[in-house]
Amino acid sequence: MRKLLMLVFTAMLCYSINAQTTSINGLIGFSENGYSGMANLHFHPKKDINKYFEIGGYASFLEEKLTRLDIPIEVYSLNVGYFSELSFLSISNDSYSVSIGIGGVLGNEIIDDSEIDLSDRQFITTKDGVVYGGYGAVEADIRITKHFSVLGRYTHFYHANSEIAKSKFMIGLGLAIKL
């Protein structure tokens, strides 16, 4: 599995080097019942077409509060997606743009039950491990200089096989650097 992920990442990185525009961004933000962070590589195959690909990583540190127990959860994932600029919400001189995107998610969900005080008759049946699914996102990019931007982003994750963190979101702010 690791070899496949490294192969995909290497292929996308090599492709992005030949692309017209490549940027690296990082965001920190709020997630449901916790906080999260995200780092992404965006690459635009052609500068005049306002569509781009994304590969990145996501980490969240949450407490699930659906039960009376606050269950600490960590989610780490690799995200690969495709974005398109919404021209009717963007300014034509490249100072402001809004994009929407969709993608796939593959990661790991960790349930830390060592911090939970359970009585003798209580136990947690939910298992941690590999999670997969998809995501949808809306991203606003405000350019400060030719090479720096401020980003605002809403991302909604759906982990199809998760019992406890099936549907989560992230609202974040961050910076982007164009290479």
Side-chain angles (χ1 to χ4, degrees), residues 2 6 12-13 23-24 44 48 55 64 74-75 90 93-94 96 98 100 104 107 115 133 155 170-171 178:
R2 284 185 178 169
M6 288 303 296
M12 293 181 113
L13 186 60
S23 65
I24 297 173
H44 302 254
D48 58 337
I55 185 167
E64 188 55 61
E74 297 175 12
V75 178
S90 303
N93 66 357
D94 261 358
Y96 178 79
V98 176
I100 61 168
E115 297 179 22
T155 306
M170 174 189 168
I171 298 173
K178 277 190 180 178

Side-chain angles (χ1 to χ4, degrees), residues 29-45:
F30 169 76
S31 288
E32 186 176 0
N33 301 325
Y35 58 93
S36 56
M38 182 180 280
N40 299 307
L41 174 68
H42 289 175
F43 48 97
H44 302 254

Side-chain angles (χ1 to χ4, degrees), residues 28 59 124 132 177:
I28 57 172
I124 296 175
Y132 58 85
I177 301 170

Side-chain angles (χ1 to χ4, degrees), residues 4-146:
L4 177 64
L5 292 175
M6 288 303 296
L7 180 63
V8 168
F9 181 75
T10 305
M12 293 181 113
L13 186 60
C14 290
Y15 182 75
S16 71
I17 291 170
N18 295 324
Q20 291 285 338
T21 306
T22 304
S23 65
I24 297 173
N25 64 60
L27 298 113
I28 57 172
F30 169 76
S31 288
E32 186 176 0
N33 301 325
Y35 58 93
S36 56
M38 182 180 280
N40 299 307
L41 174 68
H42 289 175
F43 48 97
H44 302 254
K46 295 187 177 189
K47 192 172 184 174
D48 58 337
I49 298 175
N50 295 322
K51 298 177 185 333
Y52 59 91
F53 297 97
E54 169 183 272
I55 185 167
Y58 167 76
S60 66
F61 308 93
L62 317 166
E63 281 192 4
E64 188 55 61
K65 298 179 185 274
L66 292 176
T67 64
R68 63 180 182 80
L69 303 171
D70 293 340
I71 302 170
I73 302 168
E74 297 175 12
V75 178
Y76 302 96
S77 66
L78 173 68
N79 313 314
V80 178
Y82 176 75
F83 282 74
S84 180
E85 184 179 301
L86 298 174
S87 57
F88 63 93
L89 292 176
S90 303
I91 296 175
S92 61
N93 66 357
D94 261 358
S95 63
Y96 178 79
S97 65
V98 176
S99 301
I100 61 168
I102 60 170
V105 174
L106 178 63
N108 191 31
E109 177 181 78
I110 302 166
I111 299 171
D112 185 6
D113 57 0
S114 65
E115 297 179 22
I116 302 170
D117 187 26
L118 299 172
S119 68
D120 291 337
R121 295 183 182 188
Q122 292 179 319
F123 56 93
I124 296 175
T125 59
T126 302
K127 302 211 184 307
D128 53 9
V130 174
V131 291
Y132 58 85
Y135 72 94
V138 176
E139 184 173 86
D141 183 339
I142 303 168
R143 287 171 190 77
I144 305 299
T145 67
K146 183 178 178 180

